[in-house]
Amino acid sequence: MDGNVFVMVVMIVFISMANGTIRKYLEYRVRMAEARGTGGDRNLVRAIQELREEISALRKQETEAVLSFDSTLQNLGARMQHLEHYTLGDGAVDRAALDARARRPVEERAA
């Protein structure tokens, strides 16, 4: 029985020493990860901010393109209405005006 008590005491001492060593190693790893993470976090925050600015610029450019396209469509619509009104007259639909082979009146320029 004396041998079992000695082995038990040795095991308890070994476990407590291993526990302390493992704890110090893990604390060291955490400190190193925090030290690396701090610089990385700044770079990450900067990269995210740059991406947000780029997305904002792309949204603005897309909005401007949509508005430009919309105004172009409105201008084309107004031109088509003017041409239809000029070609068809004041609402009277003339079949000859709709025929592709029919002669269209040509406006002459004043000299």
Side-chain angles (χ1 to χ4, degrees):
M1 191 155 210
D2 289 330
N4 287 340
V5 173
F6 178 74
V7 171
M8 206 176 342
V9 169
V10 169
M11 289 299 288
I12 291 173
V13 170
F14 177 75
I15 290 173
S16 65
M17 299 263 308
N19 186 22
T21 304
I22 292 171
R23 178 178 290 145
K24 287 181 181 180
Y25 173 73
L26 291 176
E27 287 175 357
Y28 169 76
R29 295 283 297 201
V30 167
R31 281 195 310 264
M32 292 302 292
E34 287 175 350
R36 284 189 222 146
T38 305
D41 285 344
R42 290 182 195 145
N43 292 335
L44 182 63
V45 169
R46 186 178 315 124
I48 289 173
Q49 184 63 31
E50 289 173 359
L51 287 173
R52 285 181 179 162
E53 291 171 0
E54 187 175 344
I55 289 171
S56 176
L58 288 173
R59 283 183 180 160
K60 183 179 178 183
Q61 182 180 6
E62 186 259 344
T63 301
E64 290 173 356
V66 168
L67 291 176
S68 174
F69 183 72
D70 187 46
S71 65
T72 301
L73 283 178
Q74 288 178 355
N75 287 340
L76 287 174
R79 288 179 183 175
M80 288 299 295
Q81 283 182 347
H82 173 73
L83 288 174
E84 288 172 354
H85 178 72
Y86 175 76
T87 303
L88 298 177
D90 292 326
V93 177
D94 183 12
R95 286 283 181 203
L98 295 176
D99 187 12
R101 288 172 260 139
R103 251 187 107 163
R104 304 234 192 287
V106 177
E107 189 174 307
E108 295 180 17
R109 293 185 180 172

